[in-house]
């Protein structure tokens, strides 16, 4: 049997003010303080039953497929969720639904920001739209696998590396390839070998002056 909680901190958690109060509260898992904090969406049925995040099918994908591409194991990361209990009904979260968005915010204000302060991560990896919806200015479709900075309420700026949610690959090969790219790029980023353009797309600044050898080369606009 796989051990998910070796040397881990046991978290006791209250319910947030907007908690539906139907399912169990699933605490974080992993070291209390560590370099990397992974944020998922919400527990599924398996996680609700066992009280540990990412231990079902999606967790197996994360552990066995995606984290290894980044050169990581789950034991070196603290793992949490945007929402700490299985959403009643379909079990799905839709951050564009105002009720769900309020729940995500309320749960983050009760648990997540405190967990970030406790963990003091060097990097946060928000996985999927629910976790990414908490980061102002971040659009997952545009910023996936693109380093970003999150001003965490009550804590401060932390580098983040947004990825798609690891469950996406279970439904579509195309999404799985995008996920693989996320985690391969994460490995490069962790090794400081990821090329990140200085200018944010889609409005690159072409007036940048670059030195090539001993010659100053001026690009487009000023020619
Ligand atoms: N998916 C998530 O987002 N979190 C879990 O804990 C499990 C599956």
């Amino acid at each position: 049997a796989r051990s998910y909680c070796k040397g881990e901190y046991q978290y006791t958690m209250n319910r947030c003010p907007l908690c539906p109060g139907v399912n169990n509260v699933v605490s974080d898992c992993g070291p209390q303080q560590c370099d990397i904090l992974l944020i998922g969406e919400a527990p599924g049925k398996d996680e609700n039953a066992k009280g540990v995040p990412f231990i079902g099918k999606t967790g197996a994908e994360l552990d066995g497929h995606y984290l290894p591409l980044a050169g990581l194991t789950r034991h070196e990361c603290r793992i949490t969720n945007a929402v700490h209990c299985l959403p009643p009904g379909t079990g799905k979260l839709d951050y564009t639904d105002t009720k769900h968005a309020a729940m995500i915010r309320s749960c983050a204000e009760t648990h997540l920001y405190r967990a970030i302060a406790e963990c003091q991560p060097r990097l946060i990896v928000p996985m999927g739209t629910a976790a990414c919806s908490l980061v102002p200015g971040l659009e997952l479709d545009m910023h996936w696998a693109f380093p970003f900075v999150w001003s965490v309420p009550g804590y401060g700026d932390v580098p983040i590396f947004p990825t798609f949610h690891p469950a996406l690959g279970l439904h579509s090969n195309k999404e799985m390839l995008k996920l693989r790219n996320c985690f391969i790029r994460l490995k490069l980023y962790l090794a400081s070998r990821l090329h990140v353009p200085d200018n944010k797309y889609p409005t690159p600044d072409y007036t940048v002056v670059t030195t090539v050898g001993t010659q100053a080369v001026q690009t487009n606009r000023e020619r």
Side-chain angles (χ1 to χ4, degrees):
R2 284 192 280 181
S3 151
Y4 289 105
C5 292
K6 211 164 141 219
E8 282 165 7
Y9 179 73
Q10 273 304 310
Y11 301 86
T12 322
M13 292 190 144
N14 300 320
R15 291 187 183 271
C16 79
L18 295 186
C19 186
V22 174
N23 293 308
N24 295 327
V25 182
V26 175
S27 78
D28 294 7
C29 148
Q32 188 174 13
Q33 197 185 337
C34 60
D35 284 351
I36 297 176
L37 176 72
L38 308 174
I39 310 175
E41 185 177 300
K45 287 195 180 122
D46 297 310
E47 291 79 14
N48 178 56
K50 298 238 169 76
V52 181
F54 285 99
I55 50 153
K57 243 187 186 173
T58 308
E61 282 289 284
L62 183 66
D63 296 354
H65 187 171
Y66 300 118
L67 287 180
L69 289 173
L72 295 170
T73 66
R74 75 178 273 144
H75 294 297
E76 63 195 304
C77 309
R78 177 161 169 169
I79 306 179
T80 187
N81 279 303
V83 165
H84 284 76
C85 58
L86 171 64
T90 62
K92 297 242 177 327
L93 269 182
D94 174 8
Y95 76 102
T96 60
D97 173 314
T98 48
K99 232 173 130 190
H100 282 190
M103 208 165 89
I104 294 172
R105 208 148 294 278
S106 161
C107 196
E109 280 162 9
T110 309
H111 302 299
L112 184 64
Y113 303 147
R114 206 197 51 196
I116 292 169
E118 196 176 65
C119 181
Q120 295 175 26
R122 284 177 54 216
L123 183 70
I124 295 178
V125 181
M127 303 181 294
T129 49
C132 289
S133 73
L134 288 164
V135 183
L138 179 68
E139 284 178 45
L140 189 53
D141 278 344
M142 178 162 153
H143 296 120
W144 59 279
F146 197 101
F148 210 82
V149 173
W150 181 11
S151 280
V152 180
Y155 181 66
D157 288 355
V158 188
I160 66 168
F161 195 91
T163 73
F164 295 108
H165 192 277
L168 269 190
L170 292 168
H171 312 298
S172 143
N173 286 345
K174 209 165 128 199
E175 300 303 321
M176 189 256 281
L177 287 178
K178 280 160 77 181
L179 265 157
R180 287 178 62 90
N181 270 325
C182 284
F183 285 85
I184 290 166
R185 279 171 61 81
L186 176 57
K187 183 173 190 172
L188 291 174
Y189 178 69
L190 292 172
S192 306
R193 281 174 39 226
L194 180 65
H195 171 70
V196 181
D198 290 336
N199 300 310
K200 291 267 165 66
Y201 296 121
T203 48
D205 179 0
Y206 290 112
T207 60
V208 177
V209 177
T210 330
T211 305
V212 178
T214 53
Q215 250 189 328
V217 176
Q218 223 162 355
T219 42
N220 297 356
R221 231 182 266 170
E222 291 190 353
R223 275 196 189 143

